Amino acid sequence: ILNVEQSPQSLHVQEGDSTNFTCSFPSSNFYALHWYRWETAKSPEALFVMTLNGDEKKKGRISATLNTKEGYSYLYIKGSQPEDSATYLCAQKGFQKLVFGTGTRLLVSP
Amino acid sequence: DGGITQSPKYLFRKEGQNVTLSCEQNLNHDAMYWYRQDPGQGLRLIYYSQIVNDFQKGDIAEGYSVSREKKESFPLTVTSAQKNPTAFYLCASSVDPRLVTDTQYFGPGTRLTVL
């Protein structure tokens, strides 16, 4: 049974701060790690899909790294903006399905 | 516009009544999914379907039923056997769940409250 954990549960930063949060997952039988962003009143949207140890992905000010040997992924946001406020979900790919963590809720104040 | 629609956005039902949540997609995706979200918990998989006329139980299928008669539609019925039905329900679709990079696309969700 896959158990995906995210920390911290919530985070409150000021505009311009850089921040990061963690997704931990079982390192055995790893297939892929997905990151989603879920803004309030909207649908979750895919950010990254990562498959290889050492993978780094970037989209604008958001980037992610992957360590499959130790079972973690970091999501970084450089120079946070209020529009980055959302819940960030990670999910590990299991057999034909995704197993989601509980998410990190980010609030960026102007 | 291509996407996933769920209706209604809010749904209220009396305890003991069955209720069906709608999910429609026009992305031409083969696979569809139903998740449930409760406060402080991640998205939990209720049922998924890889292809028309086929579906599998997820992690919390008890008290729920689904059908997949059309590629575009995957309705979820919350039966009276579901002990704690009040929750936020999300529907998703994807191209092929056998692919490790298969990305899921989500609908806007339905918040069900059982009184």
Side-chain angles (χ1 to χ4, degrees), chain A residues 31-32 34 36 38 43-44 46 49 51 89 93 96-98 100-102, chain B residues 35 37 40 42 45 50 59 88 90 97 99-100 102-104 106-108:
Chain A
Y31 297 113
H34 295 238
Y36 287 82
W38 192 359
S43 307
V49 180
T51 57
L89 300 171
K93 181 72 175 180
Q96 297 183 345
K97 60 183 181 179
L98 293 175
F100 284 86
T102 53
Chain B
Y35 292 92
Q37 191 202 30
L45 184 64
Q50 293 185 73
D59 301 317
F88 186 71
L90 270 174
L99 303 175
V100 296
D102 189 49
T103 295
Q104 293 185 12
F106 288 85

Side-chain angles (χ1 to χ4, degrees), chain B residues 6-78:
Chain B
Q6 291 184 243
S7 60
K9 189 173 182 179
Y10 298 97
L11 190 56
F12 296 88
R13 279 296 182 268
K14 291 184 179 179
E15 192 173 347
Q17 290 181 334
N18 291 355
V19 58
T20 298
L21 281 59
S22 167
C23 178
E24 304 278 331
Q25 55 101 357
N26 62 2
L27 299 169
N28 199 33
H29 287 170
D30 283 324
M32 296 187 75
Y33 312 79
W34 274 106
Y35 292 92
R36 168 182 172 140
Q37 191 202 30
D38 295 283
Q41 299 201 41
L43 299 180
R44 292 185 292 166
L45 184 64
I46 304 172
Y47 268 98
Y48 66 104
S49 167
Q50 293 185 73
I51 200 167
V52 174
N53 293 322
D54 183 56
F55 48 83
Q56 288 83 37
K57 292 181 179 180
D59 301 317
I60 55 166
E62 186 175 350
Y64 299 98
S65 65
V66 293
S67 62
R68 187 86 187 278
E69 297 176 2
K70 298 187 300 181
K71 188 175 186 177
E72 302 80 18
S73 179
F74 191 40
L76 173 75
T77 297
V78 184

